Amino acid sequence: MTHTFILASASPRRRQLLAEAGYSFEVDPSDLIESEPLAGVAPAEYAADLAWRKARAVADRRKTGLILAADTVCAVGAEILNKPIDRDDAERMIRLQEGHDTEVITGLCLYRADRPEWLGAVEISVVRFRPLSDSERRSYLDSGRWEGKSGGYGVQDHDPFVTVAGGSFSNVVGLPMERLAELLAAHPNFMK
């Protein structure tokens, strides 16, 4: 790949996806405090805004470079599920999703720090979440695998109760690689 990014994220999953796709990048997390969404804000709007704010924070600090930022949330209907704050919050999220399809929404932002100009996109995938028995739920919550994961689960961890029912697998992991490639291909002058 000819593009070198400054990844505005500390996510090991995003780093792995970029590395596996052959992109060159360095990591400079935005350290943006992710505020809870305001009432009535659509999940896609919320994810896109957070991605833009993360990219802008790094661009303001760096002054040059191509910043890549993303933010992934889960949504059941209009309810946005961020990363659980504790075990009780993880249980609430898991119970809310059980037996339902959950949307996994990633806002993606490419930001040119030196101009400043930016491109954005939103990718939506669907995850099917099967009902859990009380012992399965308790075992999962006790494992701590829900920590740091939007919606309280990670499809990349092969959690047996979730399957990608539609859309991009990499989006569910946290970075829609197909959409990133489309943005880069559709806007070659943006990269110069």
Side-chain angles (χ1 to χ4, degrees), residues 3 110 115 119-120 181-192:
H3 309 293
L110 287 168
R115 292 211 264 261
L119 299 170
E182 289 170 8
L183 273 177
L184 294 170
H187 301 280
N189 290 336
F190 181 80
M191 305 307 144
K192 294 178 183 175

Side-chain angles (χ1 to χ4, degrees), residues 49-76:
D49 180 64
L50 279 177
W52 182 86
R53 289 174 44 214
K54 289 175 179 181
R56 175 69 187 264
V58 173
D60 285 348
R61 190 169 61 229
R62 299 290 294 248
K63 307 297 185 207
T64 62
L66 179 60
I67 315 301
L68 171 61
D71 191 78
T72 302
V73 298
C74 295
V76 177

Side-chain angles (χ1 to χ4, degrees), residues 71-87:
D71 191 78
T72 302
V73 298
C74 295
V76 177
E79 184 166 352
I80 297 170
L81 306 177
N82 280 323
K83 298 175 184 109
I85 57 172
D86 57 24
R87 188 183 191 282

Side-chain angles (χ1 to χ4, degrees), residues 5 17 21 27-28 39 43 64 73 79 93 110 115 121 124 129 136-137 140 176:
F5 302 111
L17 287 168
V27 176
D28 188 356
T64 62
V73 298
E79 184 166 352
M93 290 182 186
L110 287 168
R115 292 211 264 261
I124 300 174
F129 209 110
E136 285 177 312
R137 190 181 311 103
Y140 179 73

Side-chain angles (χ1 to χ4, degrees), residues 5-152:
F5 302 111
I6 299 166
L7 178 62
S9 172
S11 166
R13 293 168 295 283
R14 289 186 179 129
R15 288 194 311 259
Q16 180 181 0
L17 287 168
L18 286 170
E20 287 174 353
Y23 289 102
S24 296
F25 63 96
E26 63 178 283
V27 176
D28 188 356
S30 71
D31 298 327
L32 181 78
I33 295 173
E34 297 179 17
S35 59
E36 288 299 311
L38 299 173
V41 172
E45 181 182 348
Y46 175 72
D49 180 64
L50 279 177
W52 182 86
R53 289 174 44 214
K54 289 175 179 181
R56 175 69 187 264
V58 173
D60 285 348
R61 190 169 61 229
R62 299 290 294 248
K63 307 297 185 207
T64 62
L66 179 60
I67 315 301
L68 171 61
D71 191 78
T72 302
V73 298
C74 295
V76 177
E79 184 166 352
I80 297 170
L81 306 177
N82 280 323
K83 298 175 184 109
I85 57 172
D86 57 24
R87 188 183 191 282
D88 289 341
D89 196 32
E91 182 172 1
R92 175 189 68 82
M93 290 182 186
I94 297 296
R95 286 182 181 274
L96 182 64
Q97 295 173 92
E98 285 182 46
H100 298 282
D101 285 352
T102 299
E103 287 188 328
V104 179
I105 303 160
T106 301
L108 183 64
C109 184
L110 287 168
Y111 197 106
R112 290 296 309 253
D114 53 327
R115 292 211 264 261
E117 295 174 355
W118 63 278
L119 299 170
V122 173
E123 184 73 21
I124 300 174
S125 299
V126 177
V127 170
R128 186 149 298 136
F129 209 110
R130 75 167 172 81
L132 300 176
S133 69
D134 289 340
S135 64
E136 285 177 312
R137 190 181 311 103
R138 187 172 36 258
S139 176
Y140 179 73
L141 292 166
D142 288 346
S143 75
R145 290 195 330 250
W146 51 267
E147 293 182 65
K149 296 180 180 142
S150 295

